[in-house]
Amino acid sequence: MVALVDVNNFYVSCERVFCPALRGQPVIVLSNNDGCVVARSDEAKALQIGMGQPVFEIRELIRKNRVQVFSSNYALYGDMSARVMNTLRQFAPAIEVYSVDESFLDFSGMERFDLQAHALDIRQTVWRWVGVPVSVGIAPTKVLAKLANRLAKKETQYKGIRILSGGWESELKAVEVGDVWGIGRQYASFLQRYGIKTAYDLTQANDAWVRKHLTVVGLRIKKELEGEPCISIETDIPNKKNVGTTRTFRHPLTTKTEVGEALADFAARCGEKLRRQQSSATLLTAYIQTNHLAPGEPQYSRSFTVSFTTPTNSTLQLVKAAKFVLDKIFRAGYRYKRAGVLLGELVHPNAGGQISLFDTLDHEKHQRLMSALDAVNARFGRNTVRTAAQTIVGSARLTQQNRLSPCYTTKWKEALRIEVRGER
DNA sequence: TCTGGGGTCCTAGGACCC
DNA sequence: TCTGGGGTCCTAGGACCC
């Protein structure tokens, strides 16, 4: 058996830990630039606030219902995520951290356990140790565990725990095919055209037909729904194959200098990401775009890719390459709303990646420089040391986060202060 | 006025090889 | 008139996830 444990309304729940007055209140967390809704409390969902909904569409709703609004505090959520995952490790021999707020727990070899009691223990322990509510779905396959988790959340009588172990036909009939893990919008509407409306309907389809139209991925999902495990639990975290840093700007940028500063900053962020997983990039792509949501404006969008003769993770080289690309793609006279730097063909030395014959002393120098830079910035804060090409205050200047909560758990200065008044 | 960011996997088709 | 067989690599595009 495998369990899917996830945190309910994760970002909102993190905010509530340090501000319990938010419990029972409608709360939402916004995307970068405070643009869209990316997390909602149950109370906010009840107000019909949609996932991904632009904030400007619901200003009135927010005001009327006193919805509590937060900018996304990724430092906080990342740290809280680590706490949850570390707690979950106590409950299974192996876990796969699947996303910031969910993990698969491998329960194989635990057939004799009372899984209901075990799941209850998980919920209570995470609540006690970290302070966030989780739901638990348990089933023979990952796809079914996801489905069980969904049911656990939806049907309150199960109190956040749902186990499917044999005879789950009626449950499959109750779940729309588009709500199955791995069936997205396109596939869902395609399947519906063929009368496949529920998860159960999908299990009744012909294997070859599913294989043909939904690829092997779809076939695996079908078999998993039938109880046959096809997707294994991946316990070790694979190195990323691509990394990128992209942003939508609060205000459009018009000058090459501004766009160049942004790209330099994105390149530097990418460098940090590479060095954290100790890999180097062979390809760098940079792109710039106008606002496609403003149809009245002249539109322009272009990208260009350069390759490094020797893979690199040096911020200096990445920034230089981004600048080179900008020279190629920048056109004056447009209002740039979005830009990004993407790195590809990453090599991982530890995983037997290729070492270039032409590796030079220069490279070693960069390595040492980058280690020093990372160490200084880790201690004194991001961008304490940066390239001259980056903005004075980094990309933060370009985005808006008006409702940011304190980094309670990752910055001493922002830790909760509790005053205890004299009591005799 | 205001609309997120960061990833993965699969397939078809073209180019190329012997 | 008749025109092989088997393979790899790469890329673009399309799907999906959180």
Side-chain angles (χ1 to χ4, degrees), chain A residues 340-402:
Chain A
V341 171
L342 309 166
L343 304 181
E345 285 192 16
L346 307 192
V347 296
H348 316 290
N350 294 344
Q354 214 169 19
I355 305 295
S356 168
L357 284 174
F358 306 105
D359 224 345
T360 60
L361 273 179
D362 215 32
H363 261 75
E364 275 174 39
K365 221 158 97 182
H366 276 232
Q367 297 274 357
R368 292 205 306 275
L369 185 56
M370 288 303 115
S371 302
L373 180 137
D374 288 336
V376 170
N377 286 340
R379 177 151 175 200
F380 298 103
R382 172 172 288 170
N383 281 349
T384 301
V385 177
R386 59 182 177 270
T387 65
Q390 289 168 259
T391 54
I392 302 301
V393 287
S395 59
R397 187 177 69 110
L398 305 170
T399 56
Q400 171 181 304
Q401 295 199 299
N402 285 339

Side-chain angles (χ1 to χ4, degrees), chain A residues 6-18:
Chain A
D6 78 344
V7 182
N8 304 346
N9 314 329
F10 179 55
Y11 293 176
V12 165
S13 297
C14 289
E15 300 292 349
R16 279 177 168 168
V17 172
F18 299 94

